[in-house]
């Protein structure tokens, strides 16, 4: 996580944030504001309310394409506030220039930078409090009524629509960037085998990895952040990054707790998650094409197996 003090080229940005907050009745102390520039979509600030000392989160969109996802997040948060056993952000200010809300209790399970994750917990053994509380939060989220999600203006996709969209995205990335033959064949085998795929959808977080999971001193999950990718789609997506980060054994433990807590599973759910992780380079490539930044394009080519392919020619 990269933190910069106010005098590190952020003077104008901070001033704009303070002015917008003030117009909405939130008077923040201009002294001691810290900026976190590690986020891909938002520049994030940490500030204190002048009168009370309460901590606030300030999020400034980095690009205009972020605004559509921010609109989606605003609708999601309004829907889920009363449904989850953990906290979610309460947006008190929401404009195209600034999103602001009181800081939630807890600390992220990890922070992230281009160098990787810096964990605030045991990544090898997440532990019972973490696993159980995360499972219960996911069961509550995945159980939210689809009609309520649709009425809230959220995207609602059937299992078949998710599968068809996955295929289209793969075709698009293959055409625009390419993909190694081995990886492409694996994707097509997964797409073509009905036994892997769920027959139900669920309201999902969509980007559930450690920086978006808040924990307390017991390593119990207390909150979930960053709901820009939330939609009704395949519930497996909320387990893919868990598998990537915590490993096969820990995924099996989480799935067991999820099922015990009332989560709906299917026979090849574990296998499906593993294959969905193998298709994650598609999402990396989509983001790289969206931003146009060379560091992400390099990351995408590596994930798609194109670097190794080029080296063998």
């Amino acid at each position: 996580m990269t933190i910069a003090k106010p005098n590190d080229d952020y003077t104008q940005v901070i001033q704009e944030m303070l002015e917008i907050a003030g117009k909405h009745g939130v008077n923040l102390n201009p002294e001691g504001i810290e900026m976190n520039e590690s986020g891909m979509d938002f520049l994030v600030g940490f500030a204190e309310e002048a009168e009370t000392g309460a901590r606030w989160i300030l999020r400034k969109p980095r690009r205009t394409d972020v605004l559509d996802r921010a609109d989606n997040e605003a609708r999601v948060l309004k829907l889920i506030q009363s449904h989850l056993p953990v906290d979610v952000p309460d947006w008190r200010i929401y404009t195209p220039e600034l999103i602001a809300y009181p800081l939630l209790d807890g600390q992220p399970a990890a922070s992230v930078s281009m160098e990787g994750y810096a964990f605030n917990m045991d990544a090898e053994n997440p532990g019972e409090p973490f696993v159980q509380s995360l499972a219960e939060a996911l069961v509550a989220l995945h159980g939210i009524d689809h009609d309520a999600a649709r009425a809230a203006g959220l995207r609602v996709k059937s299992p078949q629509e998710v599968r068809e969209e996955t295929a289209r995205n793969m075709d698009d990335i293959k055409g625009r960037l390419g993909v190694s033959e081995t990886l492409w064949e694996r994707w097509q085998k997964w797409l073509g085998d009905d036994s892997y795929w769920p027959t139900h959808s669920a309201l999902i977080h969509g980007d559930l990895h450690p920086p978006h999971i808040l924990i307390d001193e017991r390593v119990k999950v207390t909150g979930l952040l960053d709901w820009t990718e939330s939609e009704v789609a395949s519930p497996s997506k909320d387990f893919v990054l868990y598998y990537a980060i915590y490993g096969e054994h820990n995924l099996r433990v989480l799935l067991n707790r999820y099922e015990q807590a009332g989560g709906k599973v299917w026979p090849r759910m574990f296998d499906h998650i593993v294959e969905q992780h193998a298709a994650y380079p598609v999402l990396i490539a989509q983001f790289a094409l969206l931003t146009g930044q060379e560091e992400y394009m390099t990351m995408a080519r590596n994930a798609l197996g194109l670097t190794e392919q080029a080296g063998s020619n």
Side-chain angles (χ1 to χ4, degrees):
M1 180 170 64
T2 304
I3 297 292
K5 296 297 183 181
N7 59 354
D8 292 337
D9 301 324
Y10 289 112
T11 302
Q12 183 176 349
V13 171
I14 290 172
Q15 186 60 37
E16 292 173 355
M17 289 178 164
L18 292 173
E19 289 177 359
I20 295 171
K23 290 178 182 178
H24 288 80
V26 180
N27 297 314
L28 299 174
N29 188 346
E31 301 298 326
I33 293 179
E34 297 179 340
M35 303 299 296
N36 175 0
E37 60 181 16
S38 65
M40 295 180 179
D41 293 334
F42 293 90
L43 181 65
V44 178
F46 302 84
E48 289 187 357
E49 197 168 350
E51 292 83 2
T52 66
R55 297 277 286 172
W56 280 68
I57 297 293
L58 312 174
R59 294 169 65 189
K60 181 177 177 60
R62 289 184 180 275
R63 307 176 307 278
T64 55
D65 67 89
V66 174
L67 297 178
D68 285 342
R69 296 203 296 281
D71 282 341
N72 183 66
E73 183 169 9
R75 292 190 291 268
V76 171
L77 292 174
K78 185 176 180 180
L79 172 64
I80 66 176
Q81 286 279 354
S82 61
H83 289 277
L84 302 188
V86 297
D87 294 331
V88 298
D90 178 14
W91 286 8
R92 305 284 180 84
I93 300 173
Y94 175 41
T95 74
E97 295 80 24
L98 179 67
I99 297 166
Y101 57 89
L103 179 69
L104 300 182
D105 291 335
Q107 65 175 339
S111 58
V112 66
S113 67
M114 293 300 292
E115 288 73 39
Y117 289 102
F119 283 91
N120 296 313
M121 58 175 289
D122 186 345
E124 299 293 328
N125 178 26
E128 181 66 21
F130 181 81
V131 176
Q132 185 63 36
S133 55
L134 180 60
E136 291 172 357
L138 287 173
V139 169
L141 173 64
H142 294 172
I144 292 176
D145 184 72
H146 292 191
D147 290 337
R150 187 178 290 106
L154 306 186
R155 298 181 297 270
V156 178
K157 301 173 183 175
S158 69
Q160 185 59 31
E161 287 171 334
V162 171
R163 195 168 174 179
E164 291 170 355
E165 181 181 58
T166 301
R168 287 195 303 271
N169 290 339
M170 288 175 173
D171 287 337
D172 179 61
I173 294 304
K174 182 183 181 183
R176 298 174 71 183
L177 288 180
V179 59
S180 73
E181 182 177 348
T182 300
L183 196 55
W184 181 255
E185 289 178 355
R186 181 173 182 175
W187 291 352
Q188 299 313 298
K189 180 179 179 181
W190 173 52
L191 282 171
D193 190 336
D194 291 343
S195 69
Y196 281 110
W197 292 81
T199 58
H200 67 283
S201 299
L203 179 58
I204 62 172
H205 179 282
D207 189 18
L208 197 60
H209 69 140
H212 297 161
I213 303 173
L214 298 177
I215 56 175
D216 62 16
E217 66 280 357
R218 298 169 296 169
V219 197
K220 179 181 178 181
V221 176
T222 60
L224 299 177
L225 306 174
D226 198 341
W227 294 80
T228 57
E229 304 299 324
S230 185
E231 62 183 357
V232 174
S234 174
S236 59
K237 189 174 182 180
D238 279 344
F239 297 90
V240 171
L241 293 176
Y242 194 93
Y243 164 70
I245 294 162
Y246 296 103
E248 177 179 321
H249 168 72
N250 287 320
L251 172 61
R252 291 188 185 278
V253 173
L254 177 60
L255 287 176
N256 182 53
R257 296 292 185 275
Y258 176 78
E259 183 176 15
Q260 290 177 350
K264 187 176 181 180
V265 301
W266 63 98
R268 298 199 71 182
M269 185 173 182
F270 176 87
D271 298 330
H272 178 79
I273 293 166
V274 171
E275 295 307 310
Q276 193 167 6
H277 174 253
Y280 205 77
V282 173
L283 300 181
I284 298 173
Q286 287 178 323
F287 182 79
L289 290 167
L290 180 66
T291 63
Q293 296 183 23
E294 186 54 38
E295 61 183 333
Y296 296 124
M297 292 296 292
T298 299
M299 187 185 303
R301 293 187 187 100
N302 289 338
L304 292 165
L306 299 177
T307 303
E308 293 179 5
Q309 192 176 68
S312 64
N313 291 338

